[in-house]
Amino acid sequence: MGSNQAAVSFLTNLARAALGLGAATTFINASMYTVDGGQRAVIFDRLRGVLDKTADEGTHFLIPWLQKPFIYDIRMKPHTFSSVSGTKDLQMVNLTLRVLSRPKVDKLPEIYQRLGLEYDEKVLPSIGNEVLKAVVAQFNADQLLTERPQVSALVQNSLTQRARDFNIELADVAITHLSYGAEFSRAVEQKQVAQQEAERSKYVVMKADQERRAAIIRAEGESEAAKLISEATAATGMGLIELRRIEASREIAATLARSPNVAYLPGGQNMLLALNSSRP
């Protein structure tokens, strides 16, 4: 009987010790939090509100239930958003903007009070669309291509200034996509076709001009040749013409001799007499 009471007492003490150890472990875990690399923590105190000082990387202690940490990522994060904007000449343009942003570390308590944890999703799309529409409205549709570096620089400067009002730092702003509406695309295509037609017409005119000049030069050459022949004929008589006639006859005879479809017949009545002599 005494051994049973001793065992019950031992088990009771062991349970109390385990319960105390569990409670202590739970309290210690609730009193500690860890801030990973590239992060900062904003502490909310139920008595004092949001504390001005942020917690750096590492393990920190707090008062359970009374204090609560909110973790912010302070590394650069990419954000992409699109906007349909009107140009100065009333053409619709579809733009896609990519930015790299992060919060100002010393302003994290203020960011939490004003915007909460999802500060970037609440701010960047709205101010990005606002800046894009304001900048694009200053240029014509074709200038967005010919003056793209200037457009990108203006967008970056304006967006950086607007983001600074919300304690957000921008490291890079880039226009990754630019496309025009269907009407402007058709107008550009028609312009290109008109330019091609103009170039083709210009080529036809130049060709006709060259042909005209060639005809004039050829006529002048023939006239000069006829003049020289006339002068030679007047000086030497008809001998030159006879020589040219003989040379032409020789060329014709040589051409006919090379043709297999040409047959030569003797002149006069000899051919007919030979045929008649074969009759009985």
Side-chain angles (χ1 to χ4, degrees), residues 61-135:
F61 292 93
L62 53 74
I63 302 175
W65 183 83
L66 189 64
Q67 295 179 335
K68 183 178 181 180
F70 294 93
I71 307 300
Y72 279 87
D73 191 344
I74 61 172
R75 293 169 292 190
M76 288 292 177
K77 293 191 299 182
H79 299 273
T80 302
F81 46 88
S82 301
S83 174
V84 179
S85 305
T87 61
K88 189 177 180 180
D89 52 354
L90 303 181
Q91 298 293 334
M92 300 307 297
V93 181
N94 187 5
L95 293 168
T96 301
L97 196 66
R98 184 189 65 87
V99 301
L100 293 177
S101 67
R102 71 174 184 179
K104 291 184 179 180
V105 177
D106 58 338
K107 298 294 184 180
L108 284 177
E110 182 179 349
I111 293 176
Y112 175 74
Q113 290 176 328
R114 295 177 56 189
L115 302 172
L117 293 176
E118 302 297 332
Y119 66 95
D120 47 358
E121 298 298 333
K122 296 178 181 178
V123 173
L124 291 179
S126 59
I127 65 174
N129 284 316
E130 175 189 351
V131 169
L132 280 178
K133 292 181 183 297
V135 172

Side-chain angles (χ1 to χ4, degrees), residues 74-202:
I74 61 172
R75 293 169 292 190
M76 288 292 177
K77 293 191 299 182
H79 299 273
T80 302
F81 46 88
S82 301
S83 174
V84 179
S85 305
T87 61
K88 189 177 180 180
D89 52 354
L90 303 181
Q91 298 293 334
M92 300 307 297
V93 181
N94 187 5
L95 293 168
T96 301
L97 196 66
R98 184 189 65 87
V99 301
L100 293 177
S101 67
R102 71 174 184 179
K104 291 184 179 180
V105 177
D106 58 338
K107 298 294 184 180
L108 284 177
E110 182 179 349
I111 293 176
Y112 175 74
Q113 290 176 328
R114 295 177 56 189
L115 302 172
L117 293 176
E118 302 297 332
Y119 66 95
D120 47 358
E121 298 298 333
K122 296 178 181 178
V123 173
L124 291 179
S126 59
I127 65 174
N129 284 316
E130 175 189 351
V131 169
L132 280 178
K133 292 181 183 297
V135 172
V136 170
Q138 302 177 25
F139 296 89
N140 291 329
D142 55 343
Q143 292 178 326
L144 294 178
L145 293 177
T146 59
E147 302 180 13
R148 185 162 182 170
Q150 180 181 353
V151 176
S152 298
L154 189 57
V155 169
Q156 181 172 0
N157 294 335
S158 301
L159 189 57
T160 301
Q161 184 176 358
R162 288 286 290 122
R164 193 178 294 118
D165 297 336
F166 297 92
N167 300 314
I168 299 175
E169 296 178 350
L170 301 183
D172 181 68
V173 178
I175 298 176
T176 58
H177 177 73
L178 190 152
S179 61
Y180 296 95
E183 295 182 359
F184 184 79
S185 300
R186 285 195 297 268
V188 171
E189 183 178 357
Q190 293 175 358
K191 181 179 179 180
Q192 292 177 348
V193 172
Q195 290 178 345
Q196 293 176 357
E197 292 293 337
E199 291 294 331
R200 187 179 295 108
S201 300
K202 182 179 179 181

Side-chain angles (χ1 to χ4, degrees), residues 219-236:
E220 291 177 351
E222 292 176 354
S223 176
E224 186 68 21
K227 180 179 179 181
L228 294 176
I229 292 174
S230 298
E231 292 177 354
T233 302
T236 61

Side-chain angles (χ1 to χ4, degrees), residues 198-217:
E199 291 294 331
R200 187 179 295 108
S201 300
K202 182 179 179 181
Y203 170 76
V204 171
V205 172
M206 293 176 61
K207 181 179 178 181
D209 184 65
Q210 294 295 330
E211 291 177 350
R212 180 181 61 81
R213 294 183 180 181
I216 293 174
I217 294 174

